[in-house]
């Protein structure tokens, strides 16, 4: 069940965001309960060069995790690239999640700036994971550029609406030559299991865990759903039928 993204390999297919938790204790417990190997965070929301600057990551043993900085807050390709270079210069990771918001109401990504930033960062030799909408054509163009993973949203960021367009996600997954990590909008273990059963290679969660009444218990539930959904996908479900079929044998019946 190894997930390979560029030169990186992971056993867990659940990526976890580090923001929005009410307390350090909830964040630490949720991270541990998730069995994740990848933690993502917005570079622009923390001073990565100031050792005295408090941040939510300081409570964690970061030797256990691969950090995935993201460019949240950027509105242009140039801003995203500058943020990514800052993260790389700080020694965080050569892996970056490109996130360029184009609409403040829906928080949907700007496709034009996203394509530009992806191309620029690939030229820098970075491992590029790209947050995008569930646009099949855009996903294809990002792959053509050489991105290392596509991260389509299930629904708008932070809504918890779940997968609103399973057909587009399915098309993206079927076409994909790189891992597909479903990112944004997932709200429950059911959503995670559904994403994985569709064939997604992984999921990224934040609000669904951080905003739960019990983030630690929800984190564990999400982890189990991720594993169950992946196993279900690999097992290949039975075909659906319009008529009933007896589960007991019809031969050798007692008169």
């Amino acid at each position: 069940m190894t997930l390979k993204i560029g030169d990186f390999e992971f056993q867990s297919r659940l990526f976890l965001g580090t923001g929005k938790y009410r307390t350090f204790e909830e964040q630490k417990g949720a991270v541990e309960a998730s069995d994740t190997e990848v933690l993502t965070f917005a570079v622009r929301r923390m001073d990565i060069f100031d050792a005295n600057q408090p941040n939510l990551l300081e409570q964690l043993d970061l030797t256990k995790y691969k950090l995935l900085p993201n460019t949240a807050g950027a509105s242009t390709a140039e801003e995203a690239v500058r943020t990514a270079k800052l993260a790389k210069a700080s020694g965080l990771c050569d892996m970056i999640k490109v996130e360029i918001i184009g609409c403040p109401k829906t928080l949907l990504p700007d496709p034009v700036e996203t394509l530009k930033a992806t191309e620029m960062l690939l030229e820098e030799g970075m491992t590029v994971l790209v947050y995008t909408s569930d646009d099949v054509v855009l996903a294809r163009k990002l792959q053509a550029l050489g991105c290392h993973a596509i991260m389509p949203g299930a629904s708008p960021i932070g809504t918890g609406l779940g997968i609103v367009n399973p057909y587009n996600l399915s098309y993206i997954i079927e076409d994909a030559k790189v891992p597909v990590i479903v990112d944004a909008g997932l709200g429950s273990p059911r959503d995670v299991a559904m994403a994985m059963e569709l064939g997604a290679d992984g999921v990224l969660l934040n609000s669904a865990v951080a905003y739960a009444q019990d983030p630690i218990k929800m984190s564990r539930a999400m982890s189990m759903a991720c594993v169950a959904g992946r196993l279900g996908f690999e097992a290949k479900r039975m075909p659906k039928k319009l008529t009933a079929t007896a589960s007991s044998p019809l031969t050798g019946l007692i008169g």
Side-chain angles (χ1 to χ4, degrees), residues 31-54:
V31 168
E32 292 173 349
S34 71
D35 291 326
T36 188
E37 296 172 58
V38 180
L39 298 175
T40 185
F41 64 96
V43 176
R44 294 184 63 167
R45 296 197 176 102
M46 63 196 320
D47 190 340
I48 57 180
F49 293 107
D50 184 356
N52 297 316
Q53 175 78 13

Side-chain angles (χ1 to χ4, degrees), residues 63-83:
T63 62
K64 297 180 180 178
Y65 307 100
K66 181 64 67 177
L67 296 181
L68 175 60
N70 65 61
T71 66
S75 58
T76 66
E78 289 73 20
E79 288 179 356
V81 170
R82 184 164 59 250
T83 300

Side-chain angles (χ1 to χ4, degrees), residues 30-230:
V31 168
E32 292 173 349
S34 71
D35 291 326
T36 188
E37 296 172 58
V38 180
L39 298 175
T40 185
F41 64 96
V43 176
R44 294 184 63 167
R45 296 197 176 102
M46 63 196 320
D47 190 340
I48 57 180
F49 293 107
D50 184 356
N52 297 316
Q53 175 78 13
N55 67 77
L56 292 171
L57 295 175
E58 66 184 5
Q59 300 292 313
L60 303 173
D61 180 0
L62 297 183
T63 62
K64 297 180 180 178
Y65 307 100
K66 181 64 67 177
L67 296 181
L68 175 60
N70 65 61
T71 66
S75 58
T76 66
E78 289 73 20
E79 288 179 356
V81 170
R82 184 164 59 250
T83 300
K85 287 183 176 180
L86 282 172
K88 183 177 181 179
S90 70
L92 293 175
C93 186
D94 285 346
M95 186 166 60
I96 189 75
K97 174 189 169 186
V98 174
E99 183 174 329
I100 305 176
I101 300 303
C103 173
K105 180 179 180 179
T106 63
L107 298 182
L108 289 172
D110 183 318
V112 175
E113 295 300 312
T114 295
L115 283 168
K116 287 171 57 179
T118 298
E119 186 170 20
M120 293 164 72
L121 289 170
L122 287 170
E123 291 175 355
E124 293 286 332
M126 300 185 73
T127 300
V128 184
L129 295 73
V130 189
Y131 169 60
T132 177
S133 64
D134 57 1
D135 185 320
V136 178
V137 176
L138 179 57
R140 194 173 296 147
K141 289 181 178 294
L142 288 166
Q143 286 188 93
L145 287 177
C147 73
H148 298 87
I150 302 168
M151 305 183 76
S155 52
I157 294 172
T159 61
L161 291 173
I163 299 173
V164 297
N165 193 337
Y167 303 106
N168 272 23
L169 275 183
S170 293
Y171 298 148
I172 290 172
I173 291 167
E174 288 171 9
D175 278 352
K177 304 298 188 294
V178 299
V180 176
I181 312 297
V182 176
D183 179 10
L186 300 176
S188 72
R190 177 181 62 180
D191 301 332
V192 169
M194 181 179 179
M196 298 305 292
E197 284 193 64
L198 286 174
D201 296 282
V203 295
L204 190 151
L205 306 169
N206 195 168
S207 298
V209 175
Y211 288 160
Q213 289 188 24
D214 187 333
I216 298 173
K217 189 172 289 186
M218 181 61 77
S219 182
R220 182 61 181 154
M222 294 296 200
S223 177
M224 296 171 73
C226 186
V227 172
R230 181 65 185 183

